[in-house]
Amino acid sequence: MELVLSAGIGVLTASGVWLLFRPRTYQVIIGLSLLSYAVNLFIFGMGRLRVNAPPIVEKGGAGGLLTHTDPIPQALVLTAIVIGFAMTALFLVVLLASRGLTGTDHVDGRE
Amino acid sequence: MLLILVLAPFAGSLAAICIPTQKGTAAAWLAGSIALLCLVISAGLYTVISSGTPLRYDAAWLPELGLNLTLRMDGFAWMFASLVAAIGLLVVIYARYYMSASDPVPRFFALFLAFMGAMLGVVLSGNLILLAIFWELTSIISFLLIGYWHHNANARDGARMALTVTGTGGLCMFVGLMLIGHIVGSYDLDVVLSSGNVIRDHPLYTTVLILILLGVLTKSAQFPFHFWLPHAMAAPTPVSAYLHSATLVKAGVFLLTRLWPVMAGTDEWFWIVGLAGLTTLLLGAYFAIFQQDLKGLLAYSTISHLGLITVLLSLGSPLAAVAAIFHTMNHATFKASLFMAAGIIDHETGTRDMRRLSGLFRYMPITATLAMVASASMAGVPLLNGFLSKEMFFAEAIETHKYNILDTLTPYVATIASMFAVTYSIRFIHSVFFGPPPQDLPKVPHEPPHWMLAPIYFLVFSCLVVGVIPALTIGPFLHTAVQSVLGIATPVYSLAVWHGWNLPLFMSLIALVCGVGLFLVMKPYLTTSIEGPPFFRRLEGQRIFERVLVTLSWKWARSIEMRAGTRRLQPQMRILVAVALVAAAVTLLLQGFKPAAIAFRSIDPAFALIWLIGMICAIGAAYQAKFHRLAALVLLGGAGLVTCLTFVWLSAPDLAATQLLVEIVTTVLILLGLRWLPKRIENPDDPELMTISTRLRRLRDLATAVFAGIGMMLISYTVMTRELPETISSYFLERAYSEGGGTNVVNVILVDFRGFDTLGEIAVLCIVALTVFALLLRFRPATESLETPEQQRVQNAFDDDHPDRKKGDSIAEYLLVPSVIMRWMFPVIGMLAAFLFFRGHDLPGGGFAAGIAMSIAFILQYMAGGTRWVEERLRIHPLRWMAIGLLVATATGLGSWLFGYPFLTSHAQYASLPVLGKIPLATAILFDLGVFALVLGATVLILIALAHQSVRAPRAQMRAAKMAAKENA
């Protein structure tokens, strides 16, 4: 389980970093999205992988790490997903504006 | 009392700044009364101080850092404080008449008072850090005071130079003082003063000494940092009289004397302090002779006299220290009065150039007489206070303290410098007051107002009284001051005027006679010469300073930018990633990182298969992103879905729900964006693809990317296979229900435990949405994308070909069945959002997920019916929703204040609210409602702003057509 997920994180990171270095704005936006998947999964993985142990406690009871998975990385990642969306949106609009303004989709605004 | 003494000037400063600009007199009265108050307080404290025990005031400030608000007044500090307050009072009286009504006078007095407070702070600090803070404060306020006439370029340059030099020195001194604190183990002045041996024997002693001396020598304008003082003369004369004769420049000497018991006596001290002092003494006096500006002469004379004090302190003998303290007082009195006299001359004649001034005795006899007495004191004429301390200096110079060349030279240098002092003193008096009546002065000179002379009267009178009967007047005060510095080492000294025929007296006589002779020889040259001394005229400190500044802040900065900077994004990205990789690798290797052994056990084939697809999607997206954008987007969505499945699999239902919803919205968003991004056509014969450098660059990028990927994989695998250490997670799991009133711990963390973070997050989301909205308001799409998309063109052409169809029918009918279903979906999705929202506190869901789900409902309507159709039927005000959301979330947080709890405290545990069915109704749900409204508003705003472009596009098309028509015409 851990091996598969970490391999996945590795591939997502590598693809994201590769795209980050590319000259076209659209490549960078896809790269950032891939990278944010990788980072979100990485943070999530820091709470260790558990099957069938969602952090939902019994009514009136108290939970523990023995019976439930770590809720903190999940809370972190939840906001990160929404912020990641906001970042993608902002970057997309800047990309479009830059394309309209400079006439090229190169990241520097000129070939 | 001490606290009042330090705080009163600052309070007065604040009050003065509030006085309107025209009411200058009121500000002067205020400043005068504050100075008087300080003087009275310090006078009242004398009886306590003279008993020998220092007065202390302690208040804890940051005790864990050893920083306390400790004020401490012993005899020496008392003497300085009284000097600061007394001369301050006199200068205020003087400035009241000196300052012109057209200047912003309240600002002047506000700064003046602030400076007085800072200076009192320096002398009264009982803590080294506090002292450094006040020290920097004096530098900053003196910058503002020198630059008071900020319309004058000289004033600005002088102020900047003074700040740069003294500020740099002050920083060095700060480091030095911290090192002392480190050596001694305390910043308290009493502790430091009693541990001289520890400091002198410490290996860091030389470093500390040099750092502190940098601060002291820059502040007291000692060679080679003396050059800022003459340029600071662009300040109003009251400032020069106060700062540059009596207080600011004395701060350096003050600290040197203060630390004298702990730092003096070593060879390093003797050489550095002595060499700086002797050079300054001689050069300052020499330069002073050749000045043509009255204040310039006084400035160099001040430099020289400060050098004298420094030399005295360098000798390391207690008697010399007594002389140094005594001369500090004497210099303050005669130099302040001389500055005031120079100010009067400038004020009444309109010039300070000694070549233009002459014969003023006829016009202003009182000023002339006073100035003559003061400059006689400066020259060291008997029966004046300057003579006494100079005799003490000569006596000490003759004594042998160390057997080296510097010590042997001291008496000769002292005599020569004293001779120069006589020459420039005579020059000052002679060229201004004697000779033929002045020609074509800007103003007709006359005596100044009586009150402008009063401070000078007082100062000159004290010069005389101290000079004639020293033991009866200054004696006891000096003794208290000396004793507080030297303690049991206080030597026996005599303050008599007449010590008999001895060597110091002969040296004085030689200096007087030779000085007069030198003046007679130089007189013809000086009346016509240009500014500045011969030989040294070119070697101006200012030029060197400016050159250093230009080199540092312009040339080097530029060349670094040229070499290391780039405006291209790709190299920046590569550097960024490379630095991150190196930083991570170095840290891991240094910490002895060993990747865990890879075990192939316990791999679920289904999970592995999912991730196989995920990896293919990721690589495919990376491969296709340049030329096949839609394919890349689809593949990106694939990777996102795999991520989402992973969350489902690994017990993170909240994440899975949010990820899925965000995935949908992101895809829609990018699809909307792709409409305005002209297609990139692949050209396989592009010559650039074939070049070796391109291939090498790609290979390097690939290697970096693979390295980063492998690194991330190893780190995450290693961490994930270890035991989870005890974290704060258990705390949240245990208390989610008992304190947060919810069973979904993730949601409880978001809206309750870490509600403040969430508030920040939604604020960011809000800002991003507004930015996107603003950017799109003035959006100019790429011209290639302006025309109607191909599909619509085909559809329109079809309509045109069939006479029974109107144009646009096909577009309206396109996907008719799905769009009807999409319209019907609106209430269903709305219900889903409400469901997600209400169960959020106990089960997966919550404001984030519900907000995005609801926004999908809206965007579906846009897709089904088109922008115009939707907006005719639904009122959509995303900006208002966002505002309401932010207000609700913040108000919920503020609400807890009403009940006396900290910001964002949840109320579920405190108040029993009526429960509606099975809905957990904590106040956190109100907060979550805010999150919901904001996320909904922001998402809808972003999507709609982009969707609206297709409504605006026809207008842009028309504009483009017009432009083209114009160009053709």
Side-chain angles (χ1 to χ4, degrees):
Chain A
M1 206 67 101
E2 284 83 3
L3 186 65
V4 174
L5 184 58
S6 48
I9 292 173
V11 171
L12 284 173
T13 311
S15 313
V17 169
W18 161 261
L19 282 176
L20 222 51
F21 294 153
R22 297 281 115 292
R24 305 294 149 195
T25 43
Y26 189 75
Q27 291 176 303
V28 179
I29 199 172
I30 298 287
L32 279 175
S33 300
L34 286 174
L35 208 54
S36 66
Y37 291 144
V39 171
N40 284 347
L41 285 169
F42 180 75
I43 298 174
F44 172 69
M46 292 301 106
R48 307 301 182 269
L49 310 183
R50 297 280 290 276
V51 181
N52 281 332
I56 292 168
V57 294
E58 292 293 309
K59 262 208 161 106
L65 282 173
L66 287 176
T67 47
H68 298 90
T69 188
D70 191 347
I72 291 181
Q74 296 198 17
L76 291 175
V77 172
L78 188 70
T79 43
I81 292 172
V82 178
I83 292 292
F85 162 68
M87 183 199 69
T88 311
L90 183 60
F91 188 58
L92 180 76
V93 171
V94 173
L95 178 161
L96 293 176
S98 154
R99 178 66 180 85
L101 212 60
T102 62
T104 168
D105 64 346
H106 195 279
V107 284
D108 297 331
R110 54 172 182 242
E111 290 295 325
Chain B
M1 284 311 243
L2 290 179
L3 199 63
I4 298 174
L5 194 56
V6 174
L7 290 186
F10 286 114
S13 167
L14 280 182
I17 208 86
C18 302
I19 295 176
T21 315
Q22 306 82 21
K23 303 258 175 72
T25 320
W29 274 103
L30 176 75
S33 34
I34 298 276
L36 189 64
L37 174 72
C38 291
L39 190 60
V40 168
I41 291 178
S42 75
L45 290 174
Y46 181 68
T47 40
V48 189
I49 302 297
S50 59
S51 66
T53 42
L55 206 64
R56 272 180 75 101
Y57 169 84
D58 276 291
W61 184 5
L62 296 170
E64 8 356 306
L65 295 179
L67 175 56
N68 287 318
L69 191 73
T70 306
L71 298 176
R72 175 184 180 281
M73 192 194 238
D74 58 5
F76 184 56
W78 178 84
M79 193 188 84
F80 250 95
S82 309
L83 187 79
V84 168
I87 302 222
L89 179 61
L90 297 175
V91 172
V92 168
I93 297 172
Y94 177 81
R96 153 76 183 83
Y97 294 93
Y98 178 87
M99 300 306 287
S100 137
S102 57
D103 289 324
V105 180
R107 185 158 66 87
F108 172 80
F109 283 112
L111 289 173
F112 188 88
L113 282 175
F115 178 80
M116 188 193 262
M119 196 63 211
L120 285 170
V122 168
V123 299
L124 294 178
S125 289
N127 183 296
L128 293 184
I129 305 281
L130 192 65
L131 189 143
I133 292 171
F134 280 122
W135 182 283
E136 292 296 337
L137 212 52
T138 60
S139 290
I140 292 165
I141 302 170
S142 91
F143 165 77
L144 294 172
L145 277 171
I146 296 169
Y148 175 69
W149 284 320
H150 49 73
H151 45 79
N152 179 347
N154 279 339
R156 290 198 304 268
D157 288 348
R160 197 189 54 192
M161 187 188 291
L163 182 67
T164 315
V165 175
T166 57
T168 315
L171 281 180
C172 294
M173 187 198 78
F174 190 30
V175 177
L177 290 178
M178 286 201 286
L179 280 177
I180 289 193
H182 168 73
I183 294 171
V184 178
S186 166
Y187 291 110
D188 195 278
L189 195 60
D190 278 317
V191 182
V192 171
L193 286 180
S194 60
S195 37
N197 288 329
V198 183
I199 296 173
R200 278 190 297 267
D201 297 338
H202 200 272
L204 279 174
Y205 170 73
T206 318
T207 321
V208 171
L209 182 68
I210 289 172
L211 284 171
I212 288 185
L213 284 182
L214 275 174
V216 165
L217 299 183
T218 49
K219 198 77 158 181
S220 278
Q222 297 295 292
F223 182 84
F225 310 111
H226 62 280
F227 55 89
W228 68 266
L229 189 57
H231 291 280
M233 289 299 132
T237 305
V239 174
S240 309
Y242 193 47
L243 269 65
H244 305 133
S245 74
T247 54
L248 176 81
V249 291
K250 293 284 164 59
V253 182
F254 168 82
L255 190 69
L256 211 54
T257 319
R258 186 91 279 183
L259 295 177
W260 188 88
V262 283
M263 307 211 52
T266 58
D267 279 341
E268 295 96 324
W269 170 279
F270 179 80
W271 272 102
I272 304 175
V273 181
L275 204 58
L278 267 188
T279 322
T280 315
L281 170 65
L282 193 63
L283 282 185
Y286 175 69
F287 283 15
I289 299 176
F290 298 96
Q291 298 302 310
Q292 298 297 2
D293 178 14
L294 272 182
K295 283 174 78 179
L297 185 148
L298 293 177
Y300 275 107
S301 141
T302 303
I303 292 174
S304 163
H305 278 275
L306 290 167
L308 189 153
I309 299 171
T310 312
V311 174
L312 278 170
L313 290 168
S314 79
L315 296 175
S317 88
L319 263 179
V322 175
I325 297 172
F326 191 29
H327 195 70
T328 310
M329 304 296 296
N330 293 337
H331 176 253
T333 41
F334 66 68
K335 192 50 69 64
S337 61
L338 279 173
F339 265 116
M340 290 183 191
I344 288 177
I345 294 163
D346 185 16
H347 203 247
E348 302 303 334
T349 65
T351 179
R352 298 192 316 235
D353 191 328
M354 281 191 271
R355 284 165 298 195
R356 297 179 66 188
L357 292 166
S358 82
L360 288 184
F361 192 85
R362 281 162 255 247
Y363 301 99
M364 35 173 73
I366 306 175
T367 313
T369 316
L370 293 173
M372 274 188 263
V373 179
S375 54
S377 178
M378 174 163 79
V381 173
L383 293 185
L384 291 166
N385 59 353
F387 171 73
L388 296 175
S389 41
K390 184 170 280 189
E391 286 293 285
M392 289 166 99
F393 170 50
F394 282 159
E396 275 307 303
I398 301 163
E399 294 278 325
T400 305
H401 301 93
K402 306 256 180 196
Y403 293 93
N404 59 34
I405 181 156
L406 196 61
D407 199 47
T408 326
L409 269 177
T410 309
Y412 302 102
V413 174
T415 317
I416 296 170
S418 184
M419 183 179 89
F420 288 161
V422 174
T423 309
Y424 67 66
S425 300
I426 298 178
R427 165 137 203 264
F428 179 82
I429 295 304
H430 186 272
S431 64
V432 175
F433 295 114
F434 295 98
Q439 304 292 314
D440 53 74
L441 285 177
K443 291 182 190 169
V444 181
H446 58 85
E447 283 289 355
H450 185 67
W451 277 103
M452 209 163 163
L453 279 174
I456 313 187
Y457 270 128
F458 181 81
L459 288 171
V460 170
F461 181 69
S462 30
C463 282
L464 257 173
V465 172
V466 171
V468 179
I469 38 170
L472 293 179
T473 48
I474 194 82
F477 304 115
L478 183 64
H479 188 70
T480 318
V482 166
Q483 215 162 22
S484 72
V485 174
L486 298 177
I488 45 165
T490 310
V492 182
Y493 58 92
S494 148
L495 277 181
V497 178
W498 179 251
H499 285 110
W501 292 102
N502 54 11
L503 197 52
L505 189 62
F506 279 116
M507 285 162 75
S508 277
L509 286 178
I510 292 168
L512 272 175
V513 173
C514 292
V516 175
L518 185 65
F519 173 69
L520 291 176
V521 175
M522 303 274 286
K523 195 176 147 195
Y525 170 76
L526 288 175
T527 44
T528 54
S529 72
I530 55 166
E531 185 91 34
F535 310 124
F536 292 97
R537 205 176 277 140
R538 290 175 170 280
L539 196 78
E540 246 213 290
Q542 187 201 6
R543 280 199 204 148
I544 301 170
F545 172 79
E546 301 266 319
R547 194 160 294 172
V548 168
L549 269 196
V550 166
T551 314
L552 269 179
S553 67
W554 183 244
K555 286 191 189 152
W556 287 5
R558 287 276 297 218
S559 78
I560 290 175
E561 198 203 342
M562 290 276 287
R563 272 168 221 178
T566 171
R567 293 185 175 201
R568 290 169 54 223
L569 186 70
Q570 285 173 278
Q572 291 176 19
M573 282 298 194
R574 291 190 184 111
I575 293 170
L576 203 70
V577 172
V579 168
L581 283 181
V582 169
V586 167
T587 321
L588 287 175
L589 290 180
L590 285 182
Q591 301 287 323
F593 171 77
K594 279 199 196 72
I598 291 173
F600 288 93
R601 286 171 287 115
S602 75
I603 289 180
D604 192 315
F607 192 71
L609 195 65
I610 292 174
W611 265 106
L612 185 67
I613 298 169
M615 290 182 210
I616 292 171
C617 282
I619 295 169
Y623 185 68
Q624 296 289 354
K626 190 168 185 181
F627 296 109
H628 303 279
R629 294 187 182 126
L630 187 61
L633 181 61
V634 172
L635 291 167
L636 177 73
L641 283 180
V642 170
T643 308
C644 179
L645 281 175
T646 310
F647 289 143
V648 175
W649 200 293
L650 298 170
S651 336
D654 272 295
L655 293 189
T658 316
Q659 178 77 53
L660 184 66
L661 294 164
V662 166
E663 205 55 54
I664 296 167
V665 179
T666 311
T667 310
V668 172
L669 183 78
I670 297 183
L671 279 173
L672 283 173
L674 279 180
R675 158 72 180 84
W676 304 109
L677 199 60
K679 202 167 157 56
R680 240 195 129 65
I681 311 295
E682 193 168 3
N683 177 12
D685 304 325
D686 190 353
E688 211 183 304
L689 284 176
M690 299 299 140
T691 57
I692 295 177
S693 72
T694 314
R695 286 185 179 183
L696 275 180
R697 202 167 58 224
R698 290 183 161 215
L699 203 62
R700 184 188 56 194
D701 289 350
L702 187 66
T704 320
V706 168
F707 184 64
I710 292 176
M712 278 290 268
M713 177 185 159
L714 285 179
I715 296 173
S716 43
Y717 182 70
T718 312
V719 175
M720 284 191 277
T721 46
R722 289 185 182 197
E723 274 295 298
L724 185 65
E726 187 56 31
T727 63
I728 48 171
S729 306
S730 330
Y731 172 91
F732 291 134
L733 281 169
E734 279 159 21
R735 310 196 180 199
Y737 191 77
S738 57
E739 294 188 4
T743 53
N744 181 1
V745 185
V746 175
N747 186 274
V748 173
I749 291 176
L750 284 177
V751 298
D752 190 338
F753 289 128
R754 306 297 305 161
F756 197 60
D757 295 357
T758 310
L759 192 64
E761 302 268 8
I762 59 173
V764 171
L765 194 63
C766 184
I767 293 164
V768 168
L770 290 176
T771 317
V772 166
F773 182 61
L775 274 171
L776 286 174
L777 271 184
R778 302 219 159 242
F779 176 59
R780 298 267 175 281
T783 39
E784 298 95 313
S785 64
L786 273 183
E787 36 186 283
T788 322
E790 193 187 351
Q791 187 190 11
Q792 287 187 24
R793 263 181 280 150
V794 171
Q795 288 170 336
N796 286 338
F798 178 78
D799 290 345
D800 289 342
D801 290 348
H802 294 72
D804 56 327
R805 299 183 72 92
K806 283 204 303 263
K807 189 174 175 182
D809 276 1
S810 295
I811 295 175
E813 286 163 11
Y814 177 63
L815 288 181
L816 193 56
V817 175
S819 61
V820 170
I821 298 174
M822 279 195 258
R823 277 175 209 165
W824 288 350
M825 287 298 281
F826 186 70
V828 180
I829 300 180
M831 196 64 216
L832 173 73
F835 174 68
L836 281 174
F837 175 74
F838 282 116
R839 76 204 286 261
H841 215 48
D842 278 351
L843 291 163
F848 276 117
I852 298 170
M854 196 61 210
S855 71
I856 292 173
F858 279 103
I859 202 67
L860 270 183
Q861 297 314 300
Y862 274 81
M863 285 160 72
T867 313
R868 291 207 179 84
W869 185 89
V870 176
E871 284 174 6
E872 277 160 16
R873 286 161 181 81
L874 273 178
R875 284 163 182 251
I876 295 172
H877 298 292
L879 283 169
R880 279 188 210 168
W881 301 340
M882 281 161 64
I884 291 169
L886 203 55
L887 282 175
V888 166
T890 318
T892 314
L894 291 175
S896 54
W897 278 353
L898 291 180
F899 298 87
Y901 295 106
F903 188 59
L904 280 173
T905 309
S906 170
H907 275 258
Q909 57 214 356
Y910 306 119
S912 62
L913 296 164
V915 177
L916 300 170
K918 285 190 175 179
I919 303 160
L921 201 67
T923 53
I925 207 162
L926 270 179
F927 182 77
D928 216 12
L929 186 67
V931 174
F932 166 75
L934 194 138
V935 171
L936 170 64
T939 318
V940 169
L941 182 67
I942 293 172
L943 288 170
I944 289 179
L946 202 48
H948 267 228
Q949 297 309 318
S950 47
V951 181
R952 290 178 32 167
R955 273 180 274 156
Q957 263 170 316
M958 272 159 63
R959 246 199 322 272
K962 265 185 203 164
M963 291 280 283
K966 253 185 207 169
E967 270 171 27
N968 289 341

